[in-house]
Amino acid sequence: MRRILVTGRGGQLATGLETSLPAQGFEAFLVGQPDFEFDKPETVRAAFAAARPDAVVNCAAWTAVDAAEDDEPGAFRANALGPALLAGLCAAAGIPLIQVSTDCVYDGLKGEPYHESDLPHPVSVYGRTKLAGEWAALAGNPMTTVLRTAWVFSPIGRNFVRTMLAVGAQRPELRVVADQHGHPTAAPDLADAIAAILARTRETGWRAEYHGVFHAVAQGATTWHAFAEAIFVAAQPFGGPRPVVRPIATQDYPVKATRPADGRLELGKLHATFGVTLPPWQDGLTRVISALHQAERS
Ligand SMILES: NC(=O)c1ccc[n+]([C@@H]2O[C@H](COP(=O)([O-])OP(=O)(O)OC[C@H]3O[C@@H](n4cnc5c(N)ncnc54)[C@H](OP(=O)(O)O)[C@@H]3O)[C@@H](O)[C@H]2O)c1
């Protein structure tokens, strides 16, 4: 196993894989829009044929959670029909597919960390379409590993860390939701974990237990409010802003799509199967803040 096709070239996770895959001895073959567009299936087939991959990591997705509420067919095409097409191509080629999914497949009402065997119950269009993508990927290819991740942030793109630093530089006081729980996950850490999963697969050959759903988030859960405070503390050494962060309730910050109130996840299955564990979210935050600072200096 050598060449890995990575979809969603301009995105947070694909960008991380551009570094993580070569570090494990893989060649990363990245594809993105407009050359790779789920709404134009012929571009997907052409990209696959050109890459001749040994495995695929599907990072491409409709990730605008609120906008998805207004265009379910569009989100479904990207998040469900896209993975279905990729799974068929992978099955025909006899190669593994890593399908990246989300904690939004859960309703967040369990009251304790979810296990992979818990019944999903998405409460948003995004969550529904991503769950359909999981099923399509699993049903369409017998060599599919679904990774459910959450609260992804990185030095690039639209994410909570960059938003907080930008808004915090403009306002002395911010109001941030304090009653939603989840696992902030640094895209570079998730990319390292995916590269390690592929390295394990290369080493052992495909095993039946690799087919299925796995939680893949940073260790430790927190709230958006506590995460925001940690962001400003971590940015202090680099001259970052230090606004007051007031806790508010979900109902005080209305958005279109409902998020799981408690998206805490059990993490043992990924380690038991692949020997892979992501670092604590605080380490991921330090990594991303340092990378942001480096980027500003160069
Ligand atoms: N961001 C989060 O907080 C979060 C949380 C849980 C799970 N996830 C999942 O993690 C994965 C990676 O997320 P991310 O944060 O890296 O996302 P991201 O930064 O939004 O990147 C997603 C990429 O998908 C591509 N894309 C969007 N619509 C497409 C379409 N119709 N056809 C082809 N490509 C399309 C775009 O690629 P181009 O640059 O090529 O246009 C975009 O850059 C996704 O599966 C997402 O659902 C993310």
Side-chain angles (χ1 to χ4, degrees):
M1 190 194 288
R2 198 174 64 83
R3 184 184 291 188
I4 314 297
L5 175 63
V6 178
T7 69
R9 181 170 51 210
Q12 301 188 84
L13 183 55
T15 300
L17 283 164
E18 206 170 359
T19 309
S20 303
L21 287 173
Q24 291 276 10
F26 295 110
E27 179 194 343
F29 192 104
L30 279 89
V31 291
Q33 293 171 316
D35 311 328
F36 178 96
E37 164 59 65
F38 283 135
D39 279 339
K40 295 183 184 143
E42 67 280 7
T43 63
V44 176
R45 288 189 204 97
F48 192 93
R52 294 162 43 90
D54 300 311
V56 175
V57 184
N58 182 29
C59 307
W62 179 310
T63 55
V65 177
D66 291 311
E69 297 293 315
D70 295 327
D71 187 0
E72 184 151 8
F76 189 84
R77 284 196 301 275
N79 292 347
L81 299 183
L85 177 54
L86 281 175
L89 292 167
C90 289
I95 62 170
L97 168 64
I98 294 187
Q99 167 66 18
V100 184
S101 192
T102 169
D103 64 337
C104 287
V105 300
Y106 300 117
D107 59 19
L109 301 174
K110 184 180 177 187
E112 55 185 273
Y114 283 94
H115 192 273
E116 285 88 343
S117 58
D118 286 328
L119 213 56
H121 179 228
V123 288
S124 64
V125 166
Y126 172 72
R128 273 202 298 280
T129 58
K130 290 294 289 183
L131 181 60
E134 291 187 1
W135 289 340
L138 288 164
N141 181 23
M143 299 166 78
T144 293
T145 301
V146 170
L147 300 178
R148 288 182 183 153
T149 192
W151 295 23
V152 177
F153 62 96
S154 84
I156 63 141
R158 279 169 62 96
N159 62 67
F160 188 73
V161 172
R162 297 188 69 211
T163 301
M164 281 299 109
L165 291 173
V167 179
Q170 288 161 8
R171 297 190 211 148
E173 188 175 309
L174 308 180
R175 289 149 42 90
V176 180
V177 170
D179 56 1
Q180 284 176 28
H181 300 260
H183 298 262
T185 300
D189 289 343
L190 181 57
D192 285 351
I194 290 172
I197 288 167
L198 286 167
R200 171 60 73 96
T201 307
R202 176 179 59 193
E203 184 188 312
T204 62
W206 182 263
R207 289 182 175 167
E209 75 236 40
Y210 297 168
H211 183 81
V213 174
F214 299 83
H215 293 158
V217 290
Q219 291 173 55
T222 187
T223 66
W224 291 113
H225 175 265
F227 185 29
E229 296 223 284
I231 291 165
F232 294 120
V233 169
Q236 279 303 285
F238 306 114
R242 193 73 171 97
V244 174
V245 188
R246 301 252 181 248
I248 58 167
T250 297
Q251 67 204 40
D252 298 326
Y253 188 76
V255 283
K256 274 210 155 154
T258 305
R259 270 76 171 170
D262 184 353
R264 287 175 296 149
L265 306 178
E266 292 279 0
L267 305 181
K269 189 180 172 193
L270 190 72
H271 186 259
T273 308
F274 294 103
V276 171
T277 311
L278 277 80
W281 65 263
Q282 294 91 338
D283 294 2
L285 178 58
T286 304
R287 184 177 183 183
V288 165
I289 296 269
S290 305
L292 274 170
H293 181 61
Q294 287 291 331
E296 266 169 27
R297 282 160 52 105
S298 60

